[in-house]
């Protein structure tokens, strides 16, 4: 059904199975591994085009870290388009310049988490990881990730992106933060996706 939610389900199932087998691999596990990160770092150093793209990426994430747009002032997602339409919040940064509300919060959180890993801050919080975690927790406290009029598109996006942030920044999360994010992924993401699937909705 929903590719992103399915991906999250598969990854979470793999995690549960490997825990039971005692072969749990280190984080990150979703989409990239420690080996991939090392390769990315090498390519950035050796390839001119990659270095230029990385420079633009860092600039965009720095802009997001320095954004003055508070999460609490974003519009409610009560109708189709509000979550994916321009933000009405004031302030500076990507989130205040229009575009997807989801992309400008938890979507950017994935980029911020990736930059934290690529810059190799290790198990110490950076401005990038802190902003990413804050965005994920912001969405975790939303009452729902599913709005019927939006046909579960938002549900798939939020579920997969928070799962990625959880995995990539796992070693930085407090135990309380892990509980909040896992409860949200399972309760608001996977269970809602299952209901959609059982009702033959896409």
């Amino acid at each position: 059904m929903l590719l992103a939610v399915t991906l999250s389900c598969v990854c979470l199932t793999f995690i549960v199975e490997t825990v039971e087998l005692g072969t749990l691999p280190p984080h990150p596990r979703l989409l990239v591994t420690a080996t991939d990160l090392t390769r990315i770092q090498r390519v950035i150093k050796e390839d001119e085009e990659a270095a230029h793209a990385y420079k633009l990426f860092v600039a965009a994430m720095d802009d997001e870290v320095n954004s003055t747009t508070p999460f609490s002032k974003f519009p409610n997602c009560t109708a189709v388009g509000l979550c994916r339409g321009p933000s009405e919040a004031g302030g500076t940064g990507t989130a205040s310049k229009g575009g997807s509300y989801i992309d400008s919060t938890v979507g950017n959180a994935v980029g911020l988490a990736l930059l934290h890993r690529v810059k190799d801050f290790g198990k110490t919080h950076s401005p990038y990881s802190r902003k990413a975690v804050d965005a994920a927790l912001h969405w975790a406290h939303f009452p729902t990730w599913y709005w019927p009029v939006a046909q579960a598109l938002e549900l798939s996006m939020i579920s997969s992106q928070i799962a990625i942030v959880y995995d990539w920044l796992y070693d930085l999360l407090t135990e309380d933060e892990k509980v909040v994010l896992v409860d949200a992924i399972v309760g608001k993401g996977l269970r809602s996706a299952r209901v959609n699937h059982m009702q033959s909705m896409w």
Side-chain angles (χ1 to χ4, degrees):
M1 66 175 247
L2 300 170
L3 177 59
V5 172
T6 301
L7 174 63
S8 298
C9 290
V10 171
C11 291
L12 288 172
T13 299
F14 169 73
I15 291 171
V16 171
E17 290 176 347
T18 51
V19 168
E20 293 176 349
L21 294 175
T23 58
L24 187 65
H27 294 277
R29 304 177 190 127
L30 304 187
L31 304 183
V32 297
T33 65
T35 301
D36 295 320
L37 291 171
T38 299
R39 181 170 54 85
I40 291 171
Q41 293 164 343
R42 184 179 68 251
V43 170
I44 291 171
K45 292 179 179 179
E46 298 176 353
D47 186 276
E48 185 176 339
E49 291 187 10
H52 177 67
Y54 177 67
K55 183 178 180 179
L56 296 177
F57 174 58
V58 172
M61 294 301 97
D62 283 343
D63 181 56
E64 197 56 38
V65 166
N66 295 323
S67 170
T68 61
T69 305
F71 292 130
S72 61
K73 290 188 178 180
F74 282 125
N76 293 322
C77 303
T78 54
V80 66
L82 284 186
C83 276
R84 287 173 285 159
S87 167
E88 298 175 357
T92 61
T94 306
S96 66
K97 297 176 182 177
S100 167
Y101 169 38
I102 293 173
D103 286 344
S104 65
T105 50
V106 74
N108 275 343
V110 172
L112 291 164
L114 177 61
L115 187 55
H116 173 89
R117 299 301 305 235
V118 172
K119 281 182 170 286
D120 198 17
F121 286 98
K123 296 183 180 181
T124 301
H125 258 304
S126 67
Y128 308 109
S129 62
R130 186 67 267 169
K131 187 68 176 282
V133 172
D134 287 346
L137 292 172
H138 165 71
W139 273 102
H141 288 101
F142 260 59
T144 182
W145 295 348
Y146 173 63
W147 296 270
V149 69
Q151 298 179 319
L153 294 177
E154 280 83 0
L155 170 62
S156 65
M157 295 167 67
I158 301 167
S159 300
S160 59
Q161 289 164 343
I162 288 187
I164 291 169
V165 171
Y166 174 86
D167 173 59
W168 290 359
L169 300 180
Y170 179 86
D171 293 328
L172 298 176
L173 297 171
T174 67
E175 292 305 313
D176 286 344
E177 289 170 340
K178 291 174 184 176
V179 170
V180 169
L181 293 180
V182 168
D183 285 351
I185 292 169
V186 174
K188 299 171 186 177
L190 301 182
R191 286 177 181 159
S192 294
R194 183 178 184 278
V195 170
N196 274 263
H197 176 70
M198 297 303 292
Q199 294 177 350
S200 299
M201 296 176 66
W202 69 287

